[in-house]
Amino acid sequence: MGRDRRRAGQSLWDGSALAASVVDRRRLLKLGAAALVGCAGGSSHGPGSGEKLDAGGDSGKPDGDTGTDTGSPPNTDGTCGPGASTVAGDTTGPRTGSFASTPFLLGVASGDPLHDRVVIWTRLVVEPTDVASTPVDEVDVIWEVSTTEDFAEVLFTGMVATGPDVGHSVHVDVDGLDSDAVYWYRFVLGEFTSPIGRTRTLPCVDAQPELWRMGFATCQNWLTGFYAAHRSMAEQKLDLIVFLGDYIYEGGNAGPVRDHGSSEPTTLEGYRNRHGLYRSDPDLQACHASAPWVVIQDDHEVDNNYTGVLWRSAEDTRARLAAAYQAWWEHMPVRVRPQPDGSVETQRSLHIGTLAQVVVLDGRQYRDDQPCGDVIGPRCDEADDDRAFLGAEQEAWLDEVIAENGPKWTIVGSPVVMLPMDFGGAFLNPDQWDGYPAARQRFIDAFDTHSPDTHVVVFSGDIHCSGWGWVPADPFVPDGAARLSEVIVTPISSIISDDRFVSLAGVLAAQPHIGWFDATHNGWVEAELSEEEIQVRYWSVVDITSPSSPVEVFRELLLTRGTVPAYDPLEGG
């Protein structure tokens, strides 16, 4: 760890801002070998990924790699070298602009880790909910990475330009890192220094980690509760956090616990201000600073139950969609960036050595409109139509991803619930996978075809409930052969607004493919992965109206590889 790696990394905004292009000594030594031997990819993005944007180019992609590991080939002991440092940063003569007080009011974050790199993020603001108050200056932000929290040794540093076109957001893809290692990072603008963040890289794709601890979160409505759940996650110092969508809520001004303080956003400024409000929460900031995140969207990042195919068909909704996605990207530590048409490819996968493959899905941009008028109630005839949910391109990408190798576990992040819950047609939530049965069957069949021996566990969000069960090989036969395990992730602060779900909780729990269902808790889910088991813990916030509320484990679940029906320690089986 004492090697000279002082300047590396890539801006995900403007490659020309990194003035120097000096190749470091380690990269020079590796260039010859790199031409002969390639390293297995540790991450894969959705359709169209893999392009590179040269400094000053305009492919619509972030500068540098969009998802392929660049490290040296794995060694026989399962280790692998750090990736080549592609660009050196020049930190002399930064433009500091006219910020009169600290601009790091939204904290810091990291995300989309690979075995040799991770994206670090911040955004400069004067007032979190008033983007117009931020100076219009373009400025140069210095970033630093260290192996110690006190920054006694700065391993990497660089400088990146940012400005009003991207909401003064900063995304840096820091490469040249060691695999399965913890790092700390921070940002500097003039006399102001950001809070310090903790992050880590993934194990090499051929490594065999004994244990990996993940957190899953979803549905954090500002109006209905505080974020004690995020404080709890931050305290656990997890290896990776997966957020399944509904990071912001677009509707409503006043709430029972907190207020949005503004009307529903429809413009870029409105969405920026709404994200700024949520990001101003200290517990959410602490959680982002504690571990790398992998983030996907559901509907409330744009509008309740929107569908991408329909929204792109009209000019007014198309413009709003682009504004929402732009603001989402500006506030997330993600490697991909908005395309010229306003879309963002959020589906991606990564490998935790040979232990697990994590696949996160985009369930909004490519789906057709919901059947049955998107009305919760009895199943209608059109619910059986073959409607797109993931879309043809994402389905093809998924086929390729799950055929890559045979990890012990495949962890799927789904923004909505996959478990069948239609009671033989008597009840249908058309926004869930239940409204897209043909697409769900193709998803199941893809694993049977390409990775039949991998144990698949779906972690899902959206419905403000908790639970677990298994998706049958034929979802229309609930008591048939089980195929996929599913964990319904407890919501951070959102609550049930439809009393039908509360009244149905007991009925759902009695279904042959559902082990447990609850509509009364808020919190988050922890998953501790080992080769043969996943220990799942449901954490519950005692009082979401209090930011200092205790957070306790209220349910546990043990998944054993090769056995889809789970063992519930609290129920004895």
Side-chain angles (χ1 to χ4, degrees):
M1 298 299 291
R3 289 167 289 184
D4 182 19
R5 288 177 287 164
R6 291 170 294 176
R7 293 178 180 175
Q10 304 163 63
S11 160
L12 297 192
W13 177 47
D14 182 2
S16 63
L18 298 177
S21 58
V22 179
V23 179
D24 72 1
R25 180 176 62 87
R26 184 178 59 195
R27 185 187 183 203
L28 185 62
L29 293 174
K30 291 170 61 179
L31 285 177
L36 300 174
V37 184
C39 178
S43 175
S44 173
H45 285 281
S49 67
E51 301 174 48
K52 289 191 175 184
L53 173 61
D54 296 329
D58 188 27
S59 75
K61 293 287 180 183
D63 304 337
D65 199 302
T66 60
T68 302
D69 273 353
T70 57
S72 58
N75 301 318
T76 55
D77 64 355
T79 62
C80 53
S85 302
T86 55
V87 182
D90 181 1
T91 60
T92 61
R95 299 168 297 169
T96 58
S98 55
F99 288 88
S101 59
T102 182
F104 298 111
L105 299 178
L106 304 185
V108 300
S110 69
D112 284 358
L114 301 179
H115 86 255
D116 66 339
R117 63 181 58 194
V118 67
V119 175
I120 60 174
W121 170 96
T122 192
R123 180 183 162 222
L124 313 178
V125 298
V126 171
E127 166 52 53
T129 60
D130 182 14
V131 67
S133 66
T134 301
V136 297
D137 312 359
E138 289 191 359
V139 297
D140 299 317
V141 178
I142 294 172
W143 54 270
E144 298 177 337
V145 172
S146 175
T147 56
T148 59
E149 192 171 5
D150 63 2
F151 282 76
E153 178 187 8
V154 176
L155 292 181
F156 290 138
T157 186
M159 188 167 71
V160 56
T162 187
D165 288 349
V166 292
H168 285 91
S169 61
V170 176
H171 299 73
V172 183
D173 197 357
V174 183
D175 59 4
L177 304 176
D178 287 323
S179 63
D180 200 10
V182 173
Y183 293 91
W184 282 264
Y185 61 94
R186 65 187 178 189
F187 299 88
V188 178
L189 179 69
E191 64 182 291
F192 306 112
T193 301
S194 76
I196 293 171
R198 171 188 176 271
T199 192
R200 70 171 302 140
T201 52
L202 300 181
C204 178
V205 291
D206 283 0
Q208 298 177 358
E210 295 183 1
L211 196 69
W212 193 262
R213 295 174 62 239
M214 299 176 65
F216 292 86
T218 186
C219 301
Q220 54 184 28
N221 194 337
W222 179 276
L223 300 178
T224 53
F226 287 98
Y227 292 164
H230 279 301
R231 187 194 71 239
S232 171
M233 270 196 291
E235 292 169 352
Q236 294 300 313
K237 294 293 189 289
L238 299 163
D239 297 319
L240 184 69
I241 294 172
V242 177
F243 194 88
L244 298 169
D246 292 344
Y247 191 95
I248 64 167
Y249 278 69
E250 81 292 356
N253 188 345
V257 179
R258 297 194 280 187
D259 296 340
H260 277 149
S262 62
S263 59
E264 181 169 332
T266 58
T267 64
L268 178 56
E269 181 175 346
Y271 281 110
R272 282 173 170 169
N273 289 340
R274 184 60 55 88
H275 275 281
L277 174 67
Y278 279 59
R279 277 285 194 167
S280 70
D281 184 275
D283 291 323
L284 178 56
Q285 289 187 21
C287 192
H288 269 293
S290 71
W293 284 41
V294 173
V295 190
I296 55 175
Q297 302 181 25
D298 190 27
D299 54 338
H300 288 291
E301 286 85 355
V302 181
D303 189 53
N304 184 48
N305 284 13
Y306 87 94
T307 56
V309 172
L310 179 65
W311 272 53
R312 286 207 172 85
S313 65
E315 184 176 349
D316 57 339
T317 52
R318 189 164 56 245
R320 180 177 175 183
L321 196 64
Y325 282 8
Q326 174 71 22
W328 179 86
W329 171 78
E330 290 175 356
H331 290 83
M332 297 298 143
V334 293
R335 183 164 284 109
V336 293
R337 66 169 297 168
Q339 299 295 291
D341 65 357
S343 64
V344 182
E345 291 172 359
T346 61
Q347 64 274 16
R348 51 211 189 274
S349 72
L350 53 87
H351 286 273
I352 303 170
T354 62
L355 181 61
Q357 181 182 40
V358 179
V359 180
V360 293
L361 304 175
D362 187 326
R364 287 293 163 188
Q365 291 191 84
Y366 312 114
R367 73 149 87 178
D368 290 328
D369 206 23
Q370 296 91 343
C372 310
D374 193 23
V375 175
I376 296 176
R379 188 178 187 87
C380 67
D381 291 340
E382 68 175 8
D384 295 323
D385 295 346
D386 187 356
R387 294 167 181 263
F389 185 85
L390 299 178
E393 288 190 36
Q394 189 175 185
E395 286 184 356
W397 165 81
L398 182 66
D399 288 344
E400 294 178 1
V401 164
I402 62 180
E404 285 177 358
N405 62 15
K408 303 299 189 298
W409 302 92
T410 294
I411 306 299
V412 176
S414 172
V416 298
V417 171
M418 188 174 292
L419 284 171
M421 293 182 173
D422 69 349
F423 304 106
F427 175 85
L428 175 71
N429 181 348
D431 191 57
Q432 296 178 189
W433 284 86
D434 270 344
Y436 301 79
R440 178 172 56 193
Q441 192 64 60
R442 286 194 296 273
F443 179 89
I444 297 170
D445 294 345
F447 282 97
D448 287 337
T449 300
H450 301 293
S451 190
D453 298 326
T454 298
H455 192 132
V456 183
V457 184
V458 177
F459 288 80
S460 59
D462 177 61
I463 63 172
H464 307 175
C465 297
S466 310
W468 67 270
W470 47 94
V471 180
D474 181 352
F476 288 104
V477 185
D479 58 353
R483 181 58 184 95
L484 315 174
S485 303
E486 181 163 356
V487 173
I488 301 174
V489 174
T490 312
I492 292 287
S493 60
S494 302
I495 59 176
I496 286 289
S497 57
D498 192 325
D499 291 338
R500 285 173 292 184
F501 273 103
V502 178
S503 61
L504 284 171
V507 181
L508 282 168
Q511 299 301 297
H513 64 294
I514 297 178
W516 165 69
F517 190 85
D518 174 85
T520 63
H521 286 83
N522 290 93
W524 64 284
V525 167
E526 177 186 0
E528 188 175 276
L529 282 65
S530 61
E531 184 172 341
E532 296 298 328
E533 297 177 343
I534 298 180
Q535 180 73 46
V536 178
R537 299 182 183 93
Y538 294 83
W539 291 78
S540 175
V541 178
V542 174
D543 179 8
I544 60 170
T545 68
S546 170
S548 60
S549 170
V551 184
E552 305 166 345
V553 174
F554 77 102
R555 197 91 183 192
E556 295 189 13
L557 174 68
L558 186 66
L559 297 170
T560 302
R561 190 160 65 91
T563 304
V564 174
Y567 170 71
D568 186 339
L570 297 186
E571 295 294 331

